[in-house]
Amino acid sequence: MRTYRRRRRGRVLFGSLLSLVMILAGLTIISYSMFGNPLSAYAARSAPDNTNMRLTVPAMARVHDVPVYNGPTTDEEDLNRGALHISSTGYPWQAGSNTYIAGHRLGYAGTGSFLLFYDLNKLHNGDEIIITDSNGTRYTYRVFRKVVVSPDNLSIMQPVPGKTVVSLQSCTLPTYTHRLVVQGELVSVS
């Protein structure tokens, strides 16, 4: 009889542990989808009425509620007016996108481009980047990467696997030969 009871207790204990593991795994998945994934907050939302955006970077003195124009990489007119969203890249409301925004380090006096991204090199991991769409929805990102690339490196504009990101790009000083790119990962939508 003792042999039978030991086996039964082992089976009961194993079954209980397996049930507990399954319950914890289910709760983890549910809580991640509800609280841990910032994309779940707007996954069901539709795109805004238009693609107009505004950019705020609290750690950069000149970047507060700056209009972001849309255009191709060759759109010098809009780049000289301020920040330029490269139209071939994603938008904040698209899950898994890389919203790529360029701006001048020096720019032109008397325009929206003047010294706009001058302090881009001073951003650090954890600094906020905020994009507001035309409906007033705020997408808050946290800086996680700073990299210098050559002007012909277009791979930096591609989506980052498993993340929704914003990339801010400007020229390097003093030679302007390379591009400084600061990337932030989406952490909240409100």
Side-chain angles (χ1 to χ4, degrees), residues 138-153:
R138 289 172 44 111
Y139 304 85
T140 303
Y141 301 80
R142 293 240 184 261
V143 172
F144 71 93
R145 180 178 180 204
K146 188 181 335 183
V147 64
V148 174
V149 298
S150 64
D152 59 347
N153 182 350

Side-chain angles (χ1 to χ4, degrees), residues 3 31 33 83 102 112 144 151 156 171:
T3 305
S31 65
S33 67
F144 71 93
I156 196 73
C171 295

Side-chain angles (χ1 to χ4, degrees), residues 66-150:
V66 172
V68 179
Y69 303 99
N70 290 292
T73 56
T74 56
D75 190 345
E76 285 293 323
E77 182 180 333
D78 280 339
L79 184 60
N80 292 338
R81 293 171 53 201
L84 175 68
H85 168 254
I86 306 304
S87 57
S88 61
T89 67
Y91 291 92
W93 49 88
Q94 297 173 323
S97 65
N98 181 357
T99 304
Y100 202 89
I101 299 172
H104 283 301
R105 284 295 281 284
L106 297 179
Y108 300 96
T111 71
S113 72
F114 188 60
L115 301 176
L116 185 63
F117 281 7
Y118 186 78
D119 297 332
L120 187 62
N121 63 314
K122 295 180 181 174
L123 290 182
H124 299 289
N125 285 354
D127 284 343
E128 285 187 341
I129 300 170
I130 302 163
I131 297 176
T132 306
D133 70 21
S134 63
N135 290 350
T137 303
R138 289 172 44 111
Y139 304 85
T140 303
Y141 301 80
R142 293 240 184 261
V143 172
F144 71 93
R145 180 178 180 204
K146 188 181 335 183
V147 64
V148 174
V149 298
S150 64

Side-chain angles (χ1 to χ4, degrees), residues 19-29:
S19 295
L20 181 61
V21 167
M22 295 298 285
I23 289 169
L24 289 174
L27 289 173
T28 301
I29 291 169

